[in-house]
Amino acid sequence: MSATKPKRVSESSTTMTEMVMPNDTNPMGNLMGGNLLRWMDIASGICAGKHCEAHVVTASVDHVSFQKPIRLGDVITLEASVTRAFRTSVEVFVEVFAHDIKGGNPRRCNHAYYTFVGLDEDGHPIPVPAVIPLNEIEQQRYDSAPRRREVRLILSGRMKPEQSIEIRSLFEGIAPK
Ligand SMILES: CC(C)(COP(=O)(O)OP(=O)(O)OC[C@H]1O[C@@H](n2cnc3c(N)ncnc32)[C@H](O)[C@@H]1OP(=O)(O)O)[C@@H](O)C(=O)NCCC(=O)NCCS
């Protein structure tokens, strides 16, 4: 059985730390993007699973950008938090920070939004608990989540643009008639 009681963001926030080893890098000595995405998927999947108290699968990943290279030997910290839950899916925001082993050159390297779907033991989607935002940043991420959801559902062909509410309201008044 899945949890249905609304939960605070802090109840599932997840922090994961890794060190970049030679096997994780490309020939330039930088962390390979695919390895970083894997760690981001794990950190955000743990966060989503804790929120849903259920098995979860990744349904989509978006807004990924690699802003700063991460070097061999750097220590990276991944911080994942739920932003909002819908019916059977939950959006997770994950940020990546890096520094060298002495704590030098600290920087924010990238971020992404992951969407997970809660599943029962037979692999069927199940209702997930609502998210309770408690501070300004949590509230901002909560309020903007339906817009991101509409974009990803439209781009994946699961929603017709004319069915959108949030996206259309963004363009009201500026779209040519
Ligand atoms: C994700 C999955 C369970 C959805 O199954 P489905 O039969 O389409 O189920 P539904 O239509 O009931 O959708 C379930 C939820 O997934 C969401 N969803 C499905 N595809 C999505 C996408 N591309 N982006 C965002 N959300 C998506 C739906 O919006 C719905 O959320 P909601 O209930 O909160 O509105 C199914 O597509 C799946 O198993 N995918 C493979 C997952 C996987 O293997 N991940 C690892 C990949 S490497």
Side-chain angles (χ1 to χ4, degrees), residues 39-87:
W39 286 332
M40 292 167 81
D41 195 26
I42 293 171
S44 51
I46 292 170
C47 174
K50 279 172 17 184
H51 179 80
C52 301
E53 293 180 35
H55 295 295
V56 294
V57 284
T58 315
S60 74
V61 186
D62 47 24
H63 295 244
V64 191
S65 58
F66 298 101
Q67 289 138 350
K68 297 199 175 129
I70 301 174
R71 301 283 304 160
L72 175 64
D74 278 349
V75 175
I76 70 166
T77 305
L78 303 101
E79 293 181 3
S81 308
V82 290
T83 63
R84 186 159 179 158
F86 296 95
R87 197 178 69 80

Coordinates of all heavy atoms in Angstrom, one line a residue, residues 39-87:
W39 N 24.0 9.5 -11.5 CA 23.9 9.9 -10.1 C 22.7 10.8 -9.7 O 22.1 10.6 -8.7 CB 25.2 10.6 -9.7 CG 26.4 9.7 -9.6 CD1 26.4 8.3 -9.3 CD2 27.8 10.0 -9.8 NE1 27.7 7.9 -9.3 CE2 28.6 8.8 -9.6 CE3 28.5 11.2 -10.1 CZ2 30.0 8.8 -9.7 CZ3 29.9 11.2 -10.3 CH2 30.6 10.0 -10.0
M40 N 22.4 11.7 -10.7 CA 21.2 12.5 -10.5 C 20.0 11.7 -10.4 O 19.1 12.0 -9.6 CB 21.2 13.6 -11.6 CG 22.3 14.6 -11.5 SD 22.4 15.6 -13.0 CE 21.2 16.8 -12.7
D41 N 19.9 10.7 -11.3 CA 18.7 9.8 -11.3 C 18.6 9.0 -10.0 O 17.5 8.9 -9.4 CB 18.9 8.8 -12.5 CG 17.6 8.1 -12.8 OD1 16.5 8.7 -12.6 OD2 17.7 7.0 -13.4
I42 N 19.8 8.6 -9.5 CA 19.7 7.8 -8.2 C 19.3 8.7 -7.0 O 18.4 8.4 -6.3 CB 21.1 7.2 -7.9 CG1 21.4 6.1 -9.0 CG2 21.2 6.6 -6.5 CD1 22.8 5.5 -8.9
A43 N 19.9 9.9 -6.9 CA 19.6 10.8 -5.8 C 18.1 11.2 -5.9 O 17.4 11.2 -4.8 CB 20.5 12.1 -5.8
S44 N 17.7 11.6 -7.1 CA 16.3 12.0 -7.2 C 15.3 10.9 -7.0 O 14.2 11.0 -6.5 CB 16.0 12.9 -8.4 OG 16.5 12.2 -9.5
G45 N 15.7 9.7 -7.5 CA 14.9 8.5 -7.3 C 14.7 8.1 -5.9 O 13.6 7.7 -5.4
I46 N 15.8 8.2 -5.1 CA 15.7 7.9 -3.6 C 14.7 8.9 -3.0 O 13.8 8.6 -2.2 CB 17.1 8.0 -3.0 CG1 18.0 6.9 -3.4 CG2 16.9 8.0 -1.4 CD1 19.4 7.0 -3.0
C47 N 14.8 10.2 -3.4 CA 14.0 11.3 -2.9 C 12.5 11.0 -3.2 O 11.6 11.0 -2.3 CB 14.4 12.6 -3.5 SG 13.4 14.0 -3.1
A48 N 12.2 10.6 -4.5 CA 10.9 10.4 -4.9 C 10.3 9.1 -4.2 O 9.2 9.1 -3.7 CB 10.8 10.2 -6.4
G49 N 11.2 8.1 -4.0 CA 10.7 6.9 -3.4 C 10.4 7.1 -1.9 O 9.4 6.5 -1.4
K50 N 11.2 8.0 -1.3 CA 10.9 8.3 0.1 C 9.6 9.0 0.2 O 8.8 8.8 1.1 CB 12.1 9.1 0.7 CG 13.2 8.3 1.1 CD 14.5 8.9 1.6 CE 14.6 10.3 2.0 NZ 16.0 10.8 2.2
H51 N 9.4 10.0 -0.7 CA 8.1 10.8 -0.6 C 6.9 9.8 -0.9 O 5.9 9.9 -0.1 CB 8.1 11.9 -1.7 CG 6.9 12.7 -1.7 ND1 6.6 13.7 -0.8 CD2 5.8 12.6 -2.5 CE1 5.4 14.1 -1.0 NE2 4.9 13.5 -2.1
C52 N 7.0 9.0 -1.9 CA 5.9 8.1 -2.2 C 5.8 6.9 -1.3 O 4.7 6.2 -1.3 CB 6.0 7.6 -3.7 SG 6.1 9.0 -4.9
E53 N 6.8 6.5 -0.6 CA 6.9 5.3 0.1 C 6.5 4.1 -0.8 O 5.7 3.3 -0.4 CB 6.0 5.3 1.4 CG 6.5 6.3 2.4 CD 5.7 6.4 3.7 OE1 5.1 5.4 4.1 OE2 5.5 7.5 4.2
A54 N 7.1 4.1 -2.0 CA 6.8 3.1 -3.0 C 7.9 3.0 -4.0 O 8.8 3.9 -4.0 CB 5.5 3.5 -3.7
H55 N 7.9 2.0 -4.8 CA 8.8 1.9 -5.9 C 8.4 3.0 -6.9 O 7.2 3.3 -7.0 CB 8.6 0.6 -6.7 CG 9.0 -0.6 -5.8 ND1 10.3 -0.8 -5.4 CD2 8.3 -1.7 -5.4 CE1 10.3 -2.0 -4.7 NE2 9.1 -2.5 -4.7
V56 N 9.5 3.6 -7.5 CA 9.2 4.7 -8.5 C 10.0 4.4 -9.7 O 11.1 3.7 -9.6 CB 9.6 6.1 -7.9 CG1 8.6 6.5 -6.8 CG2 11.0 6.2 -7.5
V57 N 9.5 4.9 -10.9 CA 10.3 4.8 -12.1 C 10.5 6.2 -12.7 O 9.6 7.0 -12.5 CB 9.7 3.9 -13.2 CG1 10.0 2.4 -12.8 CG2 8.3 4.2 -13.4
T58 N 11.6 6.4 -13.4 CA 11.8 7.7 -14.0 C 10.9 7.8 -15.3 O 11.0 6.9 -16.1 CB 13.2 7.8 -14.5 OG1 14.1 7.4 -13.4 CG2 13.6 9.3 -14.8
A59 N 10.0 8.8 -15.3 CA 9.2 9.0 -16.5 C 9.8 10.0 -17.4 O 9.7 9.9 -18.7 CB 7.8 9.5 -16.1
S60 N 10.5 11.0 -16.9 CA 11.1 12.0 -17.8 C 12.2 12.8 -17.0 O 12.2 12.9 -15.8 CB 10.1 13.0 -18.4 OG 9.7 13.9 -17.4
V61 N 13.1 13.4 -17.8 CA 14.1 14.2 -17.3 C 14.1 15.5 -18.1 O 14.2 15.4 -19.4 CB 15.5 13.6 -17.4 CG1 16.6 14.5 -16.7 CG2 15.5 12.2 -16.9
D62 N 14.1 16.7 -17.5 CA 14.2 17.9 -18.3 C 14.9 19.0 -17.7 O 15.3 18.9 -16.5 CB 12.8 18.3 -18.8 CG 11.8 18.4 -17.8 OD1 12.2 18.5 -16.6 OD2 10.6 18.2 -18.1
H63 N 15.2 20.0 -18.5 CA 15.9 21.2 -18.0 C 17.3 20.8 -17.6 O 17.8 21.4 -16.6 CB 15.2 22.0 -16.9 CG 13.9 22.6 -17.3 ND1 13.6 23.9 -17.3 CD2 12.8 22.0 -17.7 CE1 12.4 24.1 -17.7 NE2 11.8 22.9 -18.0
V64 N 17.9 19.8 -18.2 CA 19.3 19.5 -17.8 C 20.3 20.4 -18.6 O 20.2 20.5 -19.8 CB 19.7 18.1 -18.2 CG1 21.0 17.7 -17.5 CG2 18.7 17.1 -17.8
S65 N 21.2 21.0 -17.8 CA 22.2 21.7 -18.5 C 23.5 21.5 -17.8 O 23.5 21.4 -16.6 CB 21.9 23.2 -18.6 OG 21.7 23.7 -17.3
F66 N 24.6 21.4 -18.5 CA 25.9 21.2 -17.9 C 26.7 22.5 -18.0 O 27.2 22.9 -19.0 CB 26.7 20.1 -18.6 CG 26.0 18.7 -18.6 CD1 25.3 18.3 -19.6 CD2 26.0 18.0 -17.4 CE1 24.6 17.1 -19.6 CE2 25.4 16.8 -17.3 CZ 24.6 16.3 -18.4
Q67 N 26.6 23.3 -16.9 CA 27.1 24.6 -16.9 C 28.6 24.7 -16.7 O 29.3 25.6 -17.2 CB 26.4 25.5 -15.8 CG 24.9 25.8 -16.2 CD 24.0 25.7 -15.0 OE1 24.3 25.2 -13.9 NE2 22.7 26.1 -15.2
K68 N 29.1 23.9 -15.8 CA 30.5 23.9 -15.4 C 31.1 22.5 -15.4 O 30.5 21.6 -14.9 CB 30.7 24.6 -14.1 CG 30.2 26.0 -14.1 CD 30.8 26.8 -12.9 CE 30.3 28.3 -13.0 NZ 29.7 28.8 -11.8
P69 N 32.3 22.4 -16.0 CA 32.9 21.0 -16.0 C 33.3 20.6 -14.6 O 33.6 21.4 -13.7 CB 34.2 21.1 -16.8 CG 34.5 22.6 -16.9 CD 33.2 23.3 -16.6
I70 N 33.2 19.3 -14.3 CA 33.6 18.7 -13.1 C 34.8 17.8 -13.3 O 34.8 17.0 -14.3 CB 32.4 17.8 -12.5 CG1 31.2 18.8 -12.3 CG2 32.8 17.2 -11.2 CD1 29.9 18.0 -11.9
R71 N 35.9 18.0 -12.5 CA 37.1 17.4 -12.8 C 37.4 16.1 -12.0 O 36.8 15.9 -11.0 CB 38.3 18.4 -12.5 CG 38.2 19.7 -13.2 CD 38.7 19.6 -14.6 NE 40.0 19.1 -14.7 CZ 40.6 18.6 -15.8 NH1 39.9 18.5 -16.9 NH2 41.8 18.1 -15.8
L72 N 38.3 15.3 -12.6 CA 38.8 14.1 -11.9 C 39.2 14.5 -10.5 O 39.9 15.4 -10.3 CB 39.9 13.5 -12.7 CG 40.7 12.3 -12.0 CD1 39.7 11.1 -11.9 CD2 41.9 11.9 -12.9
G73 N 38.8 13.7 -9.5 CA 39.2 14.0 -8.1 C 38.2 15.0 -7.4 O 38.3 15.1 -6.1
D74 N 37.4 15.7 -8.1 CA 36.4 16.6 -7.4 C 35.4 15.8 -6.6 O 35.1 14.6 -6.9 CB 35.6 17.4 -8.5 CG 36.4 18.6 -9.0 OD1 37.4 18.9 -8.4 OD2 35.9 19.2 -10.0
V75 N 34.9 16.4 -5.6 CA 33.9 15.8 -4.7 C 32.6 16.5 -5.2 O 32.5 17.7 -5.2 CB 34.2 16.1 -3.3 CG1 33.0 15.6 -2.4 CG2 35.5 15.4 -2.9
I76 N 31.6 15.7 -5.5 CA 30.3 16.3 -5.9 C 29.2 16.0 -4.9 O 29.2 14.9 -4.3 CB 29.9 16.0 -7.3 CG1 29.4 14.5 -7.5 CG2 31.0 16.3 -8.3 CD1 28.7 14.3 -8.8
T77 N 28.3 17.0 -4.7 CA 27.2 16.8 -3.8 C 25.9 17.0 -4.6 O 25.8 18.0 -5.3 CB 27.2 17.8 -2.6 OG1 28.5 17.6 -2.0 CG2 26.2 17.5 -1.6
L78 N 25.0 16.0 -4.5 CA 23.7 16.1 -5.2 C 22.6 16.3 -4.2 O 22.6 15.6 -3.2 CB 23.4 14.9 -6.0 CG 24.5 14.5 -7.0 CD1 25.4 13.4 -6.5 CD2 23.9 14.0 -8.3
E79 N 21.8 17.4 -4.4 CA 20.7 17.7 -3.4 C 19.4 17.6 -4.2 O 19.2 18.3 -5.1 CB 20.9 19.0 -2.8 CG 22.2 19.1 -2.0 CD 22.4 20.5 -1.3 OE1 21.5 21.4 -1.5 OE2 23.4 20.6 -0.6
A80 N 18.6 16.6 -3.7 CA 17.3 16.4 -4.4 C 16.1 16.7 -3.5 O 16.1 16.3 -2.3 CB 17.2 14.9 -4.9
S81 N 15.1 17.4 -4.0 CA 13.9 17.7 -3.2 C 12.7 17.6 -4.1 O 12.7 18.0 -5.3 CB 13.9 19.1 -2.7 OG 15.1 19.4 -2.1
V82 N 11.6 17.1 -3.5 CA 10.3 17.1 -4.3 C 9.8 18.5 -4.4 O 10.0 19.4 -3.5 CB 9.3 16.2 -3.7 CG1 9.6 14.7 -3.8 CG2 9.0 16.6 -2.2
T83 N 9.2 18.8 -5.6 CA 8.6 20.2 -5.8 C 7.1 20.1 -5.7 O 6.5 20.9 -5.0 CB 9.0 20.8 -7.1 OG1 8.4 19.9 -8.1 CG2 10.5 20.8 -7.3
R84 N 6.5 19.1 -6.3 CA 5.1 19.0 -6.3 C 4.7 17.6 -6.8 O 5.4 17.0 -7.6 CB 4.5 20.0 -7.3 CG 3.0 20.1 -7.2 CD 2.5 21.4 -7.7 NE 1.0 21.5 -7.8 CZ 0.4 22.6 -7.8 NH1 1.0 23.7 -7.8 NH2 -1.0 22.6 -7.8
A85 N 3.6 17.1 -6.2 CA 3.1 15.8 -6.7 C 1.8 16.1 -7.5 O 1.1 17.0 -7.2 CB 2.8 14.9 -5.5
F86 N 1.5 15.2 -8.4 CA 0.3 15.3 -9.2 C -0.6 14.1 -8.8 O -0.7 13.9 -7.6 CB 0.6 15.4 -10.7 CG 1.4 16.7 -10.9 CD1 2.8 16.7 -11.0 CD2 0.7 17.9 -11.0 CE1 3.5 17.9 -11.1 CE2 1.4 19.1 -11.2 CZ 2.8 19.1 -11.3
R87 N -1.1 13.3 -9.7 CA -1.9 12.2 -9.3 C -1.0 11.0 -8.9 O -0.9 10.6 -7.8 CB -3.0 11.8 -10.3 CG -4.1 11.0 -9.8 CD -5.1 10.6 -10.8 NE -4.6 9.7 -11.9 CZ -4.5 8.4 -11.7 NH1 -4.9 7.9 -10.6 NH2 -4.0 7.7 -12.7

